[in-house]
Amino acid sequence: MGEQGLPENDRKFLAFGLRFEEQFLNQATSRTLEESHGGRLVALRGLPRTELARLSDAQIKRHLTEAPNA
């Protein structure tokens, strides 16, 4: 089947898993709590907003809305 045969939301979750591993779990050097938190938030950005049920609209707006120049 391959990745291309998956529904779009499933591909987003697959991409999230890869980003989460790369940016949050794999830690080549020490980092601060704030740096770890930032990596986790970047990983969440690619998920559909409807799937972020445990975050409030205010949290999504504050932490997950990408900057215009990003």
Side-chain angles (χ1 to χ4, degrees), residues 1 5 11 13 18 26 38 48 57 65 68:
M1 175 185 211
R11 288 193 308 269
F13 275 101
L18 295 172
N26 294 338
D57 290 340
T65 303

Side-chain angles (χ1 to χ4, degrees), residues 17-65:
L18 295 172
R19 280 192 312 275
F20 187 79
E21 275 189 50
E22 292 171 0
Q23 298 172 7
F24 188 70
L25 296 179
N26 294 338
Q27 184 171 334
T29 61
S30 63
R31 60 183 172 213
T32 66
L33 181 60
E34 290 80 16
E35 290 168 332
S36 291
H37 181 68
R40 178 179 55 90
L41 293 173
V42 168
L44 287 173
R45 283 191 182 134
L47 291 177
R49 297 296 187 251
T50 56
E51 300 297 328
L52 301 175
R54 297 189 73 164
L55 297 176
S56 69
D57 290 340
Q59 289 172 315
I60 290 171
K61 183 177 180 180
R62 182 179 26 203
H63 298 295
L64 301 178
T65 303

